């Protein structure tokens, strides 16, 4: 039996992870589960999986959580310290699936503890880049990438030397608005941006997928996870989302990982790593799919990948500023405050201002994040 904690248990990745645990119940002991404010749902999951500890990030929801868990013997904690406590509890594997930079401190706590961390929370790695990779090296933690593209690359790299890699190609579905004109994009609504053709995901990553910022964040994520250099990281639009990413070697071989568009495949590869486990996902039927297509990214209509590449090249505080501005912009778009195309504009404007010095520790990253959020919020025009 192995032990597991899930940070962001009430979200889309959390639900997919718990679905796999539910199907293999005797093999897992659940240590800690967290949410932000969905106290009732978190309590239900904590009871079902007999967790030791449940944590809500929003401290004002702690009394609801306590009430919902009364008589269960499950500990309830809240606030930023509660999330860190959940991440610090001893567990063989911690799934980091909180959305946004809000997941950074608990993810860092899990990494500092050592052990294995299945990382879905890409914003944390984008913002903390060097600080997080230094913590991984220091603690000896093993980072297992959950993001389907990075999980694919991780699988394709297996046992090979980075020096033998000619390039790594991140595939992108292009999102639901891939074929829209610039004028149509300006008028895109949150419902249209969230309606992803292939993947079912949380609202924030769905909007990121529509703007292509998701691929930009993934480029920076790959830059830290697979140190082959920015010039050897490529993006290729592949609308069917069958090939999840590829690694080309210097002998001319290209290894690709293919699979259904179901995050349970990537999550299962982390849960079972270095072995394999069953999933309920239907296998690929390539004859039914028939054809796969590929296109270069259009950075005129979708400038986010260019912004992310420039931020990665600039290094220092730039990726954290990019991420913070994007989180503010996506939230404003989802509230109906700004247009779809304003998301990338707000990120670009925030990056254009003088950047703070390079963060050297977690507190520095959190300070850069807070300052960039404040700047981006000031720039927002009322609807
Ligand atoms: P969801 O929005 O579905 O879930 C987010 C989770 O984080 C919920 O448990 C939520 O709690 C919690 N949360 C939100 N805000 C806070 C906060 N301020 N403090 C503490 N907890 C918080 O997101 P997803 O599952 O879609 O995505 C999670 C992460 O995984 C993201 O970084 C995303 O980019 C990445 N990812 C997701 C994929 C997917 O298919 N969904 C694919 C690849 C990567 P509550 O329910 O209480 O709000």
């Amino acid at each position: 039996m192995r032990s597991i904690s899930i940070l962001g248990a009430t979200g889309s990745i959390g639900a997919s992870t718990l679905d796999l645990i539910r199907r293999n119940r005797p093999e897992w002991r659940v240590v800690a589960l967290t949410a932000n404010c969905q106290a009732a749902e978190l309590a239900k999951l904590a009871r079902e999986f007999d967790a030791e500890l449940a944590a809500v990030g929003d401290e004002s929801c702690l009394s609801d959580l306590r009430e919902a868990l009364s008589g269960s013997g499950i500990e309830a904690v809240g606030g930023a310290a509660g999330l860190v406590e959940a991440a610090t509890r001893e567990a063989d594997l911690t799934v980091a699936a909180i959305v946004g930079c809000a997941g950074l401190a608990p993810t860092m706590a899990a990494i500092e503890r050592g052990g294995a961390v299945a990382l879905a929370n890409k914003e944390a790695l984008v913002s903390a880049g060097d600080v997080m990779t230094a913590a991984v090296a220091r603690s000896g933690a093993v980072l297992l990438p959950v993001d389907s593209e990075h999980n694919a690359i991780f699988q394709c790299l297996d046992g090979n030397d980075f020096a033998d890699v000619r390039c790594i190609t991140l595939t992108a579905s292009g999102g639901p608005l891939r074929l829209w004109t610039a004028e149509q994009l300006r008028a895109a609504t949150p419902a249209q941006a969230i309606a992803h053709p292939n993947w079912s995901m949380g609202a924030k990553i769905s909007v990121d997928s529509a703007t292509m910022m998701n691929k930009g964040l993934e480029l920076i994520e790959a830059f830290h996870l697979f140190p082959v250099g920015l010039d050897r990281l490529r993006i290729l639009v592949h609308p069917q989302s069958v090939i999840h990413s590829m690694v080309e070697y210097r002998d001319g071989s290209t290894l690709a990982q293919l699979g259904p568009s179901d995050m349970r495949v990537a999550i299962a590869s982390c849960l079972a790593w270095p072995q394999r486990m069953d999933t309920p996902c239907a296998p690929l039927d390539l004859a039914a799919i028939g054809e796969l297509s590929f296109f270069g990214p259009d950075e005129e209509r979708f400038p986010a990948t260019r912004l992310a590449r420039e931020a990665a090249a600039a290094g220092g505080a730039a990726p954290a500023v990019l991420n913070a501005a994007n989180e503010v912009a996506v939230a404003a778009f989802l509230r109906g405050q700004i247009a779809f195309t304003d998301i990338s504009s707000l990120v670009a404007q925030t990056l254009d201002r003088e950047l703070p010095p390079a963060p050297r520790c977690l507190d520095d990253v959190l300070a850069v994040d807070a300052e960039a959020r404040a700047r981006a919020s000031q720039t927002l025009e009322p609807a």
Side-chain angles (χ1 to χ4, degrees):
M1 187 185 255
R2 294 172 68 214
S3 56
I4 187 167
S5 289
I6 303 170
L7 314 175
T10 49
S12 165
I13 292 290
S16 294
T17 307
L18 286 169
D19 178 72
L20 294 171
I21 302 282
R22 196 178 276 118
R23 292 166 193 271
N24 297 276
R25 200 64 196 87
E27 291 171 29
W28 293 96
R29 182 171 65 81
V30 174
V31 178
L33 298 177
T34 81
N36 188 34
C37 53
Q38 287 204 71
E41 176 61 17
L42 179 65
K44 197 168 130 218
L45 294 171
R47 283 180 184 271
E48 177 190 349
F49 289 94
D50 199 18
E52 274 174 29
L53 177 84
V56 276
D58 183 339
E59 199 138 21
S60 69
C61 304
L62 180 55
S63 54
D64 288 349
L65 181 65
R66 284 212 173 102
E67 197 177 316
L69 286 175
S70 71
S72 67
I74 299 167
E75 287 172 69
V77 292
L83 294 177
V84 168
E85 186 179 344
T88 311
R89 287 280 163 111
E90 200 56 44
D92 296 323
L93 178 66
T94 304
V95 179
I98 292 174
V99 61
C101 200
L104 175 56
T107 302
M108 284 291 284
I111 289 171
E112 298 281 6
R113 182 172 50 73
V117 177
L119 182 75
N121 183 200
K122 63 187 82 182
E123 298 90 348
L125 181 56
V126 167
S127 299
D130 296 340
V131 170
M132 189 181 282
T133 47
V136 171
R138 206 167 47 236
S139 68
V142 176
L143 267 195
L144 301 169
V146 170
D147 224 340
S148 58
E149 294 76 2
H150 306 77
N151 187 269
I153 296 162
F154 186 73
Q155 294 192 45
C156 295
L157 281 169
D158 191 32
N160 284 285
D161 201 324
F162 285 127
D164 288 333
V165 173
R166 192 182 283 159
C167 71
I168 290 177
T169 300
L170 293 157
T171 53
S173 70
L177 313 180
R178 182 175 67 91
L179 300 173
W180 289 34
T181 63
E183 200 177 319
Q184 288 171 319
L185 287 175
R186 180 136 196 94
T189 65
Q192 289 166 328
I194 285 174
H196 199 283
N198 307 339
W199 298 93
S200 159
M201 309 182 284
K204 194 264 177 182
I205 184 176
S206 298
V207 175
D208 285 345
S209 195
T211 59
M212 291 285 283
M213 183 56 90
N214 184 46
K215 214 47 55 183
L217 298 176
E218 288 178 4
L219 186 83
I220 302 175
E221 196 184 359
F223 175 66
H224 291 294
L225 288 172
F226 313 116
V228 297
L230 201 52
D231 58 333
R232 288 198 277 166
L233 296 175
R234 314 251 158 90
I235 292 172
L236 184 66
V237 177
H238 163 46
Q240 295 85 4
S241 299
V242 168
I243 297 178
H244 297 305
S245 278
M246 305 181 246
V247 178
E248 184 184 321
Y249 289 95
R250 65 192 175 115
D251 59 6
S253 282
T254 297
L255 300 193
Q257 188 263 352
L258 288 69
S261 307
D262 187 321
M263 282 308 293
R264 289 176 298 182
V265 176
I267 295 167
S269 110
C270 295
L271 293 184
W273 183 85
Q275 290 161 352
R276 298 276 176 178
M277 64 185 275
D278 291 336
T279 71
C281 306
L284 274 184
D285 182 347
L286 287 175
I289 293 167
E291 288 181 5
L292 301 180
S293 44
F294 305 95
F295 307 91
D298 176 350
E299 294 189 338
E300 285 293 316
R301 282 181 307 134
F302 300 101
T305 49
R306 177 180 52 75
L307 294 172
R309 189 178 285 278
E310 287 169 1
V321 171
L322 170 110
N323 178 69
N326 183 57
E327 288 195 34
V328 170
V330 171
F333 169 68
L334 287 172
R335 292 194 295 273
Q337 194 180 348
I338 60 172
F340 179 79
T341 43
D342 291 339
I343 298 174
S344 291
S345 308
L346 183 63
V347 174
Q349 283 172 55
T350 313
L351 279 166
D352 272 349
R353 298 170 65 168
E354 196 190 334
L355 294 177
R360 292 166 177 270
C361 62
L362 174 60
D363 286 345
D364 289 354
V365 181
L366 295 174
V368 170
D369 177 75
E371 191 189 324
R373 276 169 203 273
R375 284 182 183 193
S377 302
Q378 281 162 12
T379 313
L380 279 177
E381 294 291 334

